[in-house]
Amino acid sequence: MTYIEKAKAAFRSGQNELVEQLSRSEIARARSTGDVPAEVAAVCMLARACVRRRDFFAAGQLASRGRRLAESRPDRKLLPAPLHIQAAVARMSGNLNAARTLYRESIHLNGSIGDARMAVLERHNLAYVELHLGDIAAAHELFTTARTQAIELGYTDSLAEMALGAAVISCAEGDPARAASLLAAADMGYATHGQIPDPDDAAERRQLVETVMHVMSRDAFDSAYAAGAATSLSKALRDWAR
């Protein structure tokens, strides 16, 4: 496996220390050989690990470093990774207006270089920002568009994220039972792939559980969650879209 394959697998399974170890080693190697694309990738992966341990200052510094490196080269395909981290840091730090601007920039950039998958994921991330800024209608439209595109383009590894977003917007729209059911479908999807949510999604999940448990009895939550756990991820998303 390549460095990036090992680091991504470790990150998705929650092995943060291994991610940092692999990334620091790769940064040293890339710098010694002048391999800027590899250094950008490793710096951004290290930044993601910092976000997971909620060291937003370090993550922001690394993302800015990655962006400067990326902008020093003509290949625009180096830019999405640091831009994504900058947006995530702004979002998780509560700087929502900056996050909105960065996610919009990222969507445009990924669209222009033909990275449809990343454009879909950033649209999904922007939906959370719009929701937290109070625009439920805009959030719903963005979540729906991202879900539709993920399914149409065959991004099955992103469906757990899409279900979590559907759960969050369902709760915001006053349907905690559906939110609990979709949460279970999302959890099952992550477990099937041996993954855990990315840090920003994990924060959304924690807030969702707290909100839903505040408005539902434990028995009602358990019943809705069990129903969702027994439903396939694709069916849960289809049912939400009706």
Side-chain angles (χ1 to χ4, degrees), residues 19 124 163 223:
V19 174
H124 190 257
S223 177

Side-chain angles (χ1 to χ4, degrees), residues 89-235:
V89 169
R91 172 181 162 193
M92 294 189 71
S93 300
N95 194 346
L96 296 177
N97 285 313
R100 173 194 268 165
T101 298
L102 288 162
Y103 279 129
R104 286 175 174 172
E105 182 182 352
S106 184
I107 291 165
H108 176 75
L109 172 62
N110 282 289
S112 70
I113 64 175
D115 192 339
R117 184 179 185 278
M118 197 63 194
V120 168
L121 294 176
E122 294 293 66
R123 191 168 284 109
H124 190 257
N125 287 324
L126 177 59
Y128 282 117
V129 173
E130 295 294 350
L131 179 61
H132 295 314
L133 284 168
D135 195 336
I136 294 178
H140 186 107
E141 182 179 355
L142 285 161
F143 278 129
T144 301
T145 300
R147 177 206 66 89
T148 300
Q149 292 176 340
I151 291 173
E152 288 178 348
L153 295 170
Y155 302 145
T156 55
D157 61 337
S158 301
L159 295 187
E161 294 173 61
M162 301 299 151
L164 180 59
V168 170
I169 193 66
S170 293
C171 182
E173 292 173 335
D175 194 343
R178 172 168 280 190
S181 179
L182 284 161
L183 172 63
D187 286 348
M188 295 306 106
Y190 282 117
T192 296
H193 289 92
Q195 298 177 4
I196 64 172
D198 282 351
D200 44 8
D201 291 327
E204 300 291 352
R205 187 191 182 282
R206 286 192 297 271
Q207 183 59 54
L208 172 64
V209 171
E210 181 179 329
T211 302
V212 170
M213 293 296 291
H214 181 71
V215 298
M216 295 180 75
S217 69
R218 182 71 202 206
D219 286 347
F221 174 83
D222 288 346
S223 177
Y225 190 92
T231 303
S232 72
L233 194 51
S234 58
K235 184 178 186 304

Side-chain angles (χ1 to χ4, degrees), residues 53-75:
R53 56 183 169 81
R54 302 189 68 80
D55 187 346
F56 300 133
F57 178 78
Q61 292 290 99
L62 286 163
S64 295
R65 172 181 164 190
R67 185 163 185 169
R68 287 193 301 272
L69 284 167
E71 289 175 339
S72 73
R73 293 295 186 271
D75 185 1

